[in-house]
Structure formats: structure tokens, C-alpha cells
Amino acid sequence: MNLLRKGGVTAWIIGALWAVTMSICVAIVISFSTGRPLAPTLLSAAALGGLAGLALVARKGEGLALGRWLPVGGAFLVAIAAHIWDGPAMRGTAETGALWMAVAWAGFAATVAGPLLVMLKELQPGPNSRHDFEAAVIRFLTGFGYVFFTAIVAIPFYVMVMTSLKSQQALLANPLDFSIDLSRGTDLFRSYVELFRDFNFGRYMAISAFVSVATVAITILFSVPGAYAVSRLRFSGQAVMSRSILLIYMVPMIVLALPIYIGFSMLGLRNSVFGLLLIYPVTTIPVALYMLQGYFRGIPAEIEEAGLMDGLSRLKVIWKITLPLSLPALASVSLYVFMIAWNEFLLAFMLLDDPSKFTLTRGVAMLNSSEIPRQHLMAGAVIATVPIMVLFLGLERFMTRGLTAGSVKG
Amino acid sequence: MTSTTPPVGAGPLQRREARLAWGLLSPTLISVALVVILPLLAIFWISVKPVELADLRAPAPVVRDALRGSGDDLRLEYRLRNSSQEQEVRNVVLTATLPDGVLPAGDLPDACTLEADRLTCRFDLFEPGHRDRLALPVTLDGTSADAAKDALRAAPATATGESDNVLTDTTFTLDNFRKVFDGGEFWSVLWVTLFYTVFGTIGALLFGMFAALLLNKSFRGQGVLRGLYLFPYVAPVIAVAFTWVTLFDPFSGSINALLLQMGATEASINFFGEKPLALIMVTVFEIWRYFPLSFLFILARMQSIDTDMYEAADMDGASPFQQFWYLSLPQLLGILSVLFLLRFIWTFNKFDDIFLLTGGNAGTRTLTVNVYEQAFALSNIGAGAAVAVVIFACLILFAVLFFRFLSREEGL
């Protein structure tokens, strides 16, 4: 442990790990954006990074301790060996081209040196305090975390969008090439045009929008009075009610979907948007009720009592006092319910067979067939994702509050 | 002198309030009863019935009518058949309306009667797969054959009948449960479910906590990153699941191409098609998709922790890891355990993700996927319902735990 806390050793290890991360990142970024082959050479990247780390710490020191120079020498040896067998940090082929190799190396140097400067700024050569050592480790972990999470979230969405803009041949020829051929002009959006023209996606979008908005409206209509009753009115069973609401949330959809499928088959409600609208709101009412009752509890009862004293009825109080005060909560709940309804897949998949009545998610599921090219499927995924993302980014404040209020407060 | 005692029982105001409360709750209660409670009861009923997918279409007589022949040989023909090859249909009644200008020109078939232009034919029994043909000689009076055909098409004959419905009769069987528990399959399904649930839950919590620690400080772009990290949860499952399938495709997937090019693997890997790997991949997907939820809750909790405590700890010389371990973690324990319970149950209930990624193949069939598999792929609705009952039993167990926990956890 004490050896680990020596400035040189810490810097060497952090530098090596960071450089490995960065060489992989740069290689992926260059590969995914240009389609040119580029592979990280981890050993040499580690050696280079370790060296950079050492240099950054050693410049602060004056005395030359043997403990500092041993790893330096080792790093040099490994680095030199790696340089001979492999490319430094990254290895390309003739296809990669000198220009992109230079870009890659420049990117690698910048992304290693810059963050390392910050990570190692408090480290001294020789023994460090536990506080400084851990601070450096945490700064490394933070940097790694940002890169890691951003990568795992961004890559799938990047691939989704880019695949939808490619042609079938280009995809098969080089699955890594996500560069956009701008010379194709509007032809880039061919998959989208075909989806809207030949696959009826405009209609599916309209149906999805209608179903989602109707679900929100019905949910609010049902859950506001319920939430008010549970949070404000005294009656026996109030405590049981406010708790058992969440229990409904625990019933798996597939367990309900089977009998609903059977019932709808017999009643002839399958293949109808009306049938969906009978089910969707009920899956969201309990959540909405739970979220709203939490919010209603936070509104001072005195305001409502003043309304009652002035001669308003309970329903008028809800309409004129409670609802205007809880507009932000209503926005959160609506957004959350809209998201659930828009994204719902299982029921739409089981209950709808008629292509003229598909919702958007059901329409995308239809595209998952070997006869339909991949870029159409991805274009469908983009069409399903974009509206909800736009809504979400525009109203993120409400969304996050809605999500957190949905289950736990404080 | 009257003694003043406090009123006993509920006063009129209180009763009115309770009535109003139940009134306000009733739309919710009724809809939940119809869509949740009723199907749950139905599941128990179906699970002890020998129901196949084909039984959902009740056997019924089918009739097609046509005007055939010409001149003297002109006749109205009704072809009847039993739609089912397995079950009989009783008390079949054919009802047809003769078009205007079409007059009967001979004897009616034995089973039929004619009142004005309404033709009614009755049959006691149609055997399974039974077919029948009725011919009624007619003449035309003041109308053409084409016009009569159009009129027939506008008002076709109808047929009704009675048949047994296996869903509503009184035959019961335990075969469904026997089938579900038969052989080693059930235990492998249970094992897959547990693996998926436990590791999916823990993984999502750990990654959520890591992400929350990253964003628990204010810097420029914090809002953007927070929005970005919520993407997997907000996007439709169908979009992200198909993206993963595309990304990890063994032939044209980018990840395989990347691994090959980096020399990490010799041959392309079938991520969603090989036995142990597929299960790991769907669990990873689960973690990826749901870490944002835990992240959001944990972050909300972290931001409500008083910062004074950390300043004091800093003064006392506590290192960052010590601060996390001794100060933050105990504060987060409440939310972590609530999240664990909720996520555990929800992951246990999860169906769409695995269904879209692997369809339950390559050793990824969980209990919920098994419901679909039994009911629709194997067309045995009864067995599917039996699996659903098993799921429900597990859930009741969880619910008991949950309630016991809730009573202790005041935060919720």
C-alpha cells in the first residue's frame, strides 16, 4: 500500500490505465467515423501513458530517488519493445492512410496529456498522503466514468442513426464504416422516405400519438380524483388504498396480457385502437395516482379549507384550487404516462394484427424480418425514438422530477 | 340534565366525506378491477383448463350462398359447413332473405320454412367437419340474374349454432401444471430467471451509483450529461433492443467487426445465439437499460445530503474513500434497498427485452418469456396460464417481503 502511494508508482499506473482507455477510445472513434481500420496496441499505449504520468510527476521533484527511476527504466524498455513490434498506441494498415494515423496520434496525445495533468496535479514525487493519493485515484475514476458511460450510451444511438442513413451494400461491405456520403444528397434519407411512403409509417405515428394523448387524458381524468381522495379525505381504508396502489405496479404485464388476449379475442376487441385504449390507461393510473397523491399532500390544506369556508364544494375546490397549484406535477405525470404509452410494445404486439391499425412500436416490430433491409429497421427505430427524445430533452426538468416522484421521495 | 358525551361512531359529516372519497376513487377502482383483478382471476381459471390456442375460435357453422344455373334450372344454393374439425355444432339455424323478384319454384328442402321472403332452415347437429348443401329452385320475376346476385351479396345468408366452449365448461385438468413442472426444463427456466434478476438488479444499482457519483457535483454540461445518461431508459425498448441486435450481429454487426479488427477475437462471436453468452448479454442489456433509473434516484438522494458533514470530515482528515464509505453509503442505504426491491420485482417481471433480443432462445428463457412460449409458440394457452400462476405465486412472496420492508422504511 505504501509503495502504491509513492508519487511515481501512482502516476505510472494511472497514466498507463488512462492511456489504454484513450487508445481504445480513439481507435473506436476513428473506426466508427471514417470506417478505416485502426487497432489499439494496449501494451505500448500503457507504456507511453505510464511514461507520461511519470514525467508529469517527476518534473515537480528535485531529488532523484532510485524508486522513481526503476519504473521509468522499465517503462522505457517496454515502450521501446512495443514500438518495434507494434505501432505506438495504435496500429493502422495501409488503408488507414497517413493523415488519419496522424489525426489518431494527435488525438491520443491530447486526450492522454490533458486529463493526466488534471488527475495528477496534487501528486508529489515520493510518498503521498492518503488524501492526495485517493483524490488522484478518484479523479482517474471520474474521467474513466465519463468516458465509459458516454460511450455505452452514445454508441448504440449513434449506430442506430447512422445505420438508417446507409445503403444495404455499404453496410455489408464494411460494418464499421458509419461515415456519411454527403454526395448522395437527399438520397441519404431513402429509408425514411420508403417507410413513410410504402410502409404507412405516417399513419402509425398518428395512431401512436392519438393513443398516447388519449391515454394521458384518461389517466389524468381518473387519477386526479382518486389521488385527491387518498391524500385529503378521511375514510376507513385510506391507508390501505394509498399502499396497495403500488401493488398493482408489481403485476407483470405478460400475466395480464394472456387473459386480456383471450377476452379480447372472444369479444372481438382485438385489432382495434379502442381495445388498446381500454387497457393502456389502467396500466398507468396507479402510477399517476401515486405520484399525484404525494404532490397533493405537499399543498397546504389551509388554502383548500379557505375555499371550503367561502362556500366552494369539494369538487370546485379541486378544480379551482388544487389543480392550478399542481400544474407542474400534472406536467410530470402527463409526460411520464405519455412515455409509457408511446413506448408500450407488448400489448400492441399481442393485440394488433391488422397493419392498418398498428401503433408505431408494432410497426417497427413488423420491420424485423429477413426480407426487409436493416437500415429500414433502424430508420423505424429512429422514428419511434425521436419524438419521445425531443419531448424529453425539451421538458427534462419535469421528466426527471416525474420519474423520481414516481417511486421514492427524499 | 343531559350528560354531554363525545359522539360515538362516524358523524354525518364524516360519513359524507367517506362517501365522497369512495365516489372519487370509484372510477379507478372499477377500471383496475376490470383490467387487473378480473384477468388475474381468469388466469387461475384458465390454468386448470385444457385450452389450446385454436379453442379461442369457437366452432361455428359457416354458410356461403350463391345463385347458380340458368333458365329453368335456376336455383339458390347454400353451402354449410362446420368450421371445426374436432367439435360438433348443435342447433344450427340458417337465415336468409330472398332478393326481391326471386320466387321459389319448387319444394323447399325438408329442414326449411319460408315466411314471406325469409328462409329459415334448422339442423339438429353438425358433426365435426360436416358439410351440407341446400338447393332451392327459383324463378326470376321482373329482375335480372345479375341484379339478384348483387342483392345476395348485399345481404348474405347467416348461420348460427351452439357448441361447447372449453373455456366455460366444467372439465378441469392438472396437466398444465404437470407439463410446466415436468422434466428439468422448469428448473433451468427458474435458474435463468434468477440469474437474470439478481445480476440485472445488482448491476443496474452499481452502475447507477457510479454514474450518480460522477454527476454529484455541479459543472458546466452536467445537465447535458444527465439527460444523455437517461436515454437508454427513455427510448422505446423496441428501438434500443433492435439496435443492440444490429450492433452485435454475428455477420454484419459493428462490434464483431471492431473486435476482429482489433485482434481481440479470431472468429466473429454470436453474442445473442450462444448458450452462456446470450444470457450474459441480455443481463448486460438489462443493466444498460435500467442503470439510468437507479442513477436518477441515487443522485436525488445524494443531492439532499447535507454538505456540512463532508466539510467536517475533511477537517478531521478523512480521505475521499473513507468519506464515501462511512458517510455517503449509510445515508444511501435506504434508497438502495428500496431500489433493490423494486428493481428486483420489475426485472423478474420483465418480458419485452429478452423477447426482442433472443426470443427466449439460446438459454435465455425466463419465466415470463415461458408464458409466451407455452401459450403462443406451443399454442397451449392452459400451460401458459399455469406458468403465469407460478409467477404470481413468486410475486406474492415478494409482495409480503415488500410490505414488511415498507413498514420499516419511512421514506416511502
Side-chain angles (χ1 to χ4, degrees), chain B residues 103-329:
Chain B
L103 302 172
D107 293 334
L108 291 174
D110 290 340
C112 302
T113 56
L114 186 69
E115 284 172 30
D117 58 350
R118 263 186 98 71
L119 181 74
T120 313
C121 308
R122 294 173 195 282
F123 308 87
D124 289 339
L125 182 70
F126 269 24
E127 297 291 335
H130 175 80
R131 285 167 185 278
D132 211 336
R133 196 170 70 92
L134 295 176
L136 175 69
V138 290
T139 54
L140 296 180
D141 180 24
T143 181
S144 70
D146 286 337
K149 280 178 186 169
D150 286 341
L152 270 185
R153 222 170 289 135
T158 56
T160 56
E162 294 167 10
S163 63
D164 291 328
N165 191 329
V166 70
L167 270 173
T168 47
D169 65 12
T170 49
T171 43
F172 295 105
T173 172
L174 281 176
D175 276 354
N176 296 325
F177 286 97
R178 220 166 281 139
K179 202 168 195 168
V180 168
F181 288 109
D182 208 18
E185 204 196 19
F186 178 76
W187 299 109
S188 77
V189 167
L190 198 64
W191 151 246
V192 167
T193 311
L194 281 181
F195 179 94
Y196 179 69
T197 310
V198 170
F199 286 98
T201 307
I202 295 178
L205 276 186
L206 286 182
F207 277 81
M209 180 138 82
F210 189 13
L213 283 170
L214 289 181
L215 291 188
N216 188 25
K217 53 184 106 169
S218 43
F219 56 91
R220 261 186 31 194
Q222 192 237 23
V224 175
L225 276 186
R226 194 177 60 182
L228 182 73
Y229 290 177
L230 287 175
F231 267 28
Y233 179 73
V234 178
V237 59
I238 190 153
V240 287
F242 283 145
T243 307
W244 272 56
V245 171
T246 307
L247 201 56
F248 287 95
D249 190 275
F251 306 110
S252 61
S254 310
I255 297 291
N256 264 312
L258 201 66
L259 288 177
L260 280 173
Q261 181 200 290
M262 290 181 177
T265 166
E266 296 286 305
S268 57
I269 304 168
N270 193 355
F271 283 99
F272 286 113
E274 281 168 22
K275 201 119 201 225
L277 193 59
L279 180 56
I280 295 172
M281 285 304 294
V282 293
T283 312
V284 169
F285 179 83
E286 170 76 16
I287 296 172
W288 178 80
R289 191 161 141 71
Y290 289 100
F291 88 84
L293 200 71
S294 346
F295 147 71
L296 209 56
F297 287 129
I298 297 173
L299 184 64
R301 182 73 186 89
M302 275 180 180
Q303 286 173 343
S304 70
I305 300 179
D306 212 350
T307 47
D308 294 357
M309 202 168 63
Y310 293 101
E311 282 162 21
D314 247 346
M315 297 297 276
D316 289 345
S319 76
F321 279 113
Q322 283 172 324
Q323 285 178 21
F324 172 72
W325 190 256
Y326 293 107
L327 295 182
S328 305
L329 212 53

Side-chain angles (χ1 to χ4, degrees), chain B residues 59-139:
Chain B
V62 180
V63 60
R64 291 180 59 189
D65 53 358
L67 187 68
R68 286 172 197 280
S70 58
D72 289 343
D73 192 26
L74 198 64
R75 60 194 188 276
L76 270 172
E77 264 187 23
Y78 298 97
R79 292 179 185 202
L80 288 142
R81 68 181 171 84
N82 181 347
S83 69
S84 165
Q85 298 292 329
E86 277 116 33
Q87 289 187 10
E88 56 180 35
V89 179
R90 292 179 307 274
N91 296 334
V92 176
V93 179
L94 166 74
T95 324
T97 308
L98 298 189
D100 285 340
V102 176
L103 302 172
D107 293 334
L108 291 174
D110 290 340
C112 302
T113 56
L114 186 69
E115 284 172 30
D117 58 350
R118 263 186 98 71
L119 181 74
T120 313
C121 308
R122 294 173 195 282
F123 308 87
D124 289 339
L125 182 70
F126 269 24
E127 297 291 335
H130 175 80
R131 285 167 185 278
D132 211 336
R133 196 170 70 92
L134 295 176
L136 175 69
V138 290
T139 54

